[in-house]
Amino acid sequence: MFRVVIPARYASTRLPRKMLLRETGKTLLQHTYEAACAARKPAGHGRRHDEAVKRGGVNATMPRTMTTRPPRRAPPPAAGDAAAAPPGAPAAVAPAAAARPRGGRPASVTVNDVARLAGVSAMTVSRALNAPDRVPEATLARVRRAVEASGYVPNLLAGGLRSSKSRLVAALVPTIAGPVFLQTIESLTGALAASGYQLMLGQSGYAESREDDLLAAIIGRRPDGIVLTGIVHTEAGRRRLLAAGIPVVETWDLTPTPIDMLVGFSHVAVGRAVARHLHARGRRRLAVLGGDDERSRRRMDAFVQTAGQLGQRDVPTALAPAPTTFGAGRRGLAELLDDDPTIDAVCCGSDALAHGVITEAHARGIDVPGRLAVIGFGDFAYAADVHPALSSVRIDGAEIGRRAAAFIVERAAGREVAERVVDIGFAIVDRAST
């Protein structure tokens, strides 16, 4: 590549200036210079110039103001790069072609680079990535091989601005530390991925202020849908969600007045059913241990109210910080026994609490279920393996995730959802602990 500086004595040349600046290699400008230099050695040639000529860095027939740079050499191929590519596969992208330096930083591979590799237009590449069903299979295969060879990743932000679709769905859960919401997250992720969407997960905790901060950040990024845990939100949060016009699915709860759509169950109904279940097993001194979050409190309140309707005036209660833990279960049973040593059944707000209660009962020599019945909530994977096997309330978290994903996909496609509120119910799994 030549870097050309035109001396003043050649400024009067009749060759078009654009041509002079555009040509490379054996340019017309170089020919002009060579003709001029053949007559005499231009002034300015000296010892340093002659030494440079000997080293091969300067063309001896060119004035001092014209220099050449040696061509850049591509780095040697990495091990395995020389392996034969499958028939029809695009050639590997050389580092210099795939990412040309700009300002000291490597430039990203573009859709035009992929188009050149695949031998198609940039429009075809875009169509193959965004609407593969509209591209012939042979062309689609070439584009995909080019994408793989170049390492190209589409700019989803730019594509979202053009199509008003981000292909992202945001989900907020109170905690990812335990298995309570794990099934919902897994099924939601899988169902969305099957429709071309990706899940962005946020941990909101149990404080409303934290959820409001996350909602503001998420709404500003305009996802195609938002999945929330629970129905209790601040007025500011509700206003933001309603004003955003983004499809919203509330989960793990039940209300006749959702923000948009809802998949869940009644926590009040769970509390009532567990109290009746324990009473039907002959238990008359019921106690309850739960987390200090709003949904757990509603289950506890319904349990206490129903126990009162069944004839028990005072129901010992204990609260544990949410998310609840095994250790909180052990401490909770100790607190309940200090309050009333005659209790004969404990309803727990989670299986983790129930596991802790059983362990503490064993440590105190209390027989479960002979002296004390224990029931949990969630029916975690280990519930059947605890000794004795733990009775629990089963929630179909996977179904919640699938239904929520279906709602989001339908609404994102511009279709109306006929049944906006779905009650999936619950089931009491009766095992040895009761």
Side-chain angles (χ1 to χ4, degrees), residues 4 6 10-24 27-30 32-33:
V4 179
I6 303 175
Y10 296 119
S12 61
T13 178
R14 293 184 179 181
L15 291 174
R17 184 173 181 80
K18 288 184 179 180
M19 184 179 293
L20 291 174
L21 297 176
R22 187 171 62 239
E23 297 294 333
T24 58
T27 62
L28 293 175
L29 177 59
Q30 181 181 348
T32 303
Y33 284 159

Side-chain angles (χ1 to χ4, degrees), residues 50-431:
D50 293 338
E51 290 175 354
V53 170
K54 292 178 181 179
R55 291 195 302 269
V58 178
N59 191 327
T61 65
M62 296 171 60
R64 187 178 182 180
T65 52
M66 293 191 64
T67 61
T68 61
R69 292 179 180 175
R72 294 181 180 176
R73 295 182 178 179
D81 286 356
V93 181
R100 296 177 178 83
R102 296 176 185 170
R105 295 183 301 171
S108 61
V109 177
T110 68
V111 69
N112 292 322
D113 297 324
V114 177
R116 281 192 293 270
L117 279 172
V120 298
S121 68
M123 181 68 72
T124 299
V125 173
S126 178
R127 189 178 297 113
L129 296 174
N130 298 306
D133 55 319
R134 297 169 54 193
V135 179
E137 288 191 10
T139 303
L140 184 60
R142 285 162 54 196
V143 171
R144 285 176 173 171
R145 287 196 296 265
V147 168
E148 180 69 22
S150 64
Y152 173 68
V153 177
N155 186 332
L156 297 180
L157 178 59
L161 292 174
R162 289 192 298 270
S163 65
S164 299
K165 299 293 182 183
S166 65
R167 312 301 293 182
L168 282 176
V169 173
L172 296 187
V173 294
T175 178
I176 57 175
V180 181
F181 306 105
L182 183 59
Q183 283 187 335
T184 299
I185 294 170
E186 288 180 342
S187 65
L188 181 63
T189 302
L192 288 172
S195 296
Y197 291 85
Q198 300 300 321
L199 183 68
M200 178 172 59
L201 187 63
Q203 180 174 280
S204 61
Y206 290 92
E208 291 181 343
S209 59
R210 172 63 177 158
E211 183 180 71
D212 280 354
D213 291 342
L214 272 175
L215 282 176
I218 288 170
I219 292 172
R221 286 162 174 78
R222 290 299 186 272
D224 289 341
I226 299 175
V227 179
L228 302 174
T229 303
I231 58 174
V232 177
H233 316 287
T234 65
E235 284 302 315
R238 289 181 66 90
R239 282 196 301 271
R240 285 195 184 103
L241 289 167
L242 290 169
I246 298 171
V248 176
V249 181
E250 295 166 284
T251 63
W252 280 81
D253 215 330
L254 199 63
T255 178
T257 57
I259 293 175
D260 188 2
M261 299 168 286
L262 183 145
V263 184
F265 59 95
S266 170
H267 291 270
V268 172
V270 169
R272 291 172 179 168
V274 172
R276 294 190 183 105
H277 177 78
L278 293 173
H279 188 271
R281 293 292 184 275
R283 308 294 172 168
R284 297 295 181 265
R285 291 299 303 159
L286 309 182
V288 59
L289 167 63
D292 59 3
D293 60 283
E294 196 277 337
R295 287 179 295 280
S296 177
R297 284 178 181 270
R298 273 191 280 139
R299 292 196 301 272
M300 293 174 68
D301 290 345
F303 180 90
V304 171
Q305 183 183 25
T306 304
Q309 294 171 352
L310 295 171
Q312 183 176 340
R313 290 186 177 181
D314 301 319
V315 179
T317 61
L319 284 174
T324 54
T325 62
F326 171 87
R330 297 197 63 171
R331 292 186 293 273
L333 178 60
E335 182 181 338
L336 290 172
L337 290 172
D338 288 343
D339 185 25
D340 184 355
T342 67
I343 61 174
D344 61 3
V346 180
C347 168
C348 298
S350 71
D351 283 0
L353 287 175
H355 191 188
V357 167
I358 290 176
T359 301
E360 182 65 20
H362 287 165
R364 291 171 177 256
I366 298 174
D367 180 56
V368 177
R371 164 74 174 77
L372 183 71
V374 181
I375 187 169
F377 176 83
D379 195 29
F380 298 168
Y382 60 76
D385 299 321
V386 176
H387 180 72
L390 177 63
S391 296
S392 187
V393 178
R394 176 179 295 165
I395 307 298
D396 194 346
E399 180 64 12
I400 291 178
R402 285 190 292 269
R403 291 289 190 102
F407 278 170
I408 293 293
V409 171
E410 287 294 301
R411 286 288 304 280
R415 295 186 288 268
E416 286 297 323
V417 175
E419 189 179 8
R420 294 171 49 240
V421 177
V422 175
D423 182 357
I424 66 164
F426 59 90
I428 295 178
V429 182
D430 192 29
R431 297 192 180 98

